[in-house]
Amino acid sequence: MNPSHPIETNGRPIILIGLMGCGKTTIGKLVSKRTGMPLLDMDALIEEQVGMKISQIFAERGEAHFRALETALLRFLEQHPQTPPPVISTGGGVVTRPENCEILRRLGFVVWLNVSPSSLLRRSVRAANRPLLQTDDPAATLRRLWHERAPLYKATAHRILNTSRVEVGEVCRRVCDAAERYFAAR
Ligand code: S3P
């Protein structure tokens, strides 16, 4: 890997939060490539550790079990700082537990990729691996989730980027610039 834009983060991760479909994984990959920081995708890591897809974990063990796995992973990451520090792509519901929000803010620089519910719908409703959207009216579900969670994302993020109509390369640059400024000021 030959990063074009390494960032001095003082050993701390860059963390992407936001609703499903907002681009956390896509942007996480781009930021990872640009900075040379490895990507840590929480959903993917949980699937790997448990040996089940997220949809299967929800169906067979329930949402509360999945939430407990997210918290356990965050506690682990806080107690075992990763070297080199990663770009962390979170699951959209990670902010629903207050403890998670506190850990995220202590752990690193948290960016909310805020995308409007209508843009989100175009991007994510097709994804079969999104158990929370398997409802009769995914558009209404997504709007409800956005309204419920927007205050949580806002309170957890160090920086909010409104990215509904911003192309991915530009979002990546904005995340990196914001991270650089945040860590430079520390
Ligand atoms: C969830 C979002 C999903 C995944 C799980 C629950 C949520 O992650 O963690 O299906 O509660 O919004 P993505 O945001 O990556 O789709």
Side-chain angles (χ1 to χ4, degrees):
M1 177 142 36
N2 188 13
S4 60
H5 203 103
I7 296 177
E8 179 45 70
T9 69
N10 204 15
R12 297 172 68 204
I14 296 172
I15 302 165
L16 304 177
I17 62 172
L19 261 197
M20 51 190 117
C22 74
K24 298 178 299 272
T25 302
T26 304
I27 302 301
K29 282 182 188 158
L30 290 178
V31 173
S32 164
K33 201 166 167 216
R34 189 168 197 248
T35 60
M37 295 165 74
L39 178 68
L40 192 159
D41 183 322
M42 286 185 60
D43 281 351
L45 194 56
I46 289 172
E47 286 186 336
E48 198 183 304
Q49 284 173 343
V50 181
M52 290 163 87
K53 294 301 238 183
I54 304 281
S55 50
Q56 206 184 347
I57 301 175
F58 268 68
E60 293 180 17
R61 301 192 181 166
E63 181 174 349
H65 181 79
F66 175 73
R67 299 296 170 209
L69 294 174
E70 287 185 307
T71 302
L73 176 53
L74 286 175
R75 284 187 193 145
F76 177 87
L77 292 174
E78 188 174 31
Q79 283 155 16
H80 304 86
Q82 307 289 294
T83 311
V87 179
I88 301 179
S89 162
T90 59
V94 74
V95 294
T96 57
R97 280 194 168 196
E99 181 186 355
N100 295 354
C101 301
E102 287 163 20
I103 297 176
L104 288 170
R105 273 186 77 87
R106 286 196 301 265
L107 197 58
F109 173 60
V110 185
V111 184
W112 174 21
L113 301 178
N114 180 24
V115 175
S116 69
S118 52
S119 304
L120 285 172
L121 194 69
R122 280 198 294 279
R123 301 184 197 185
S124 69
V125 76
R126 286 179 294 275
N129 197 29
R130 295 210 154 106
L132 292 183
L133 286 189
Q134 309 305 310
T135 64
D136 291 341
D137 189 350
T141 306
L142 208 46
R143 274 196 299 274
R144 177 180 56 77
L145 286 173
W146 190 92
H147 285 288
E148 278 172 15
R149 292 179 180 174
L152 304 174
Y153 293 133
K154 191 172 176 188
T156 306
H158 294 104
R159 181 70 198 268
I160 300 167
L161 294 178
N162 295 313
T163 58
S164 289
R165 276 175 292 275
V166 187
E167 63 90 18
V168 290
E170 176 59 20
V171 177
C172 168
R173 276 189 293 279
R174 289 185 194 176
V175 170
C176 291
D177 289 352
E180 211 157 25
R181 275 198 295 276
Y182 174 83
F183 288 113
R186 242 109 272 270

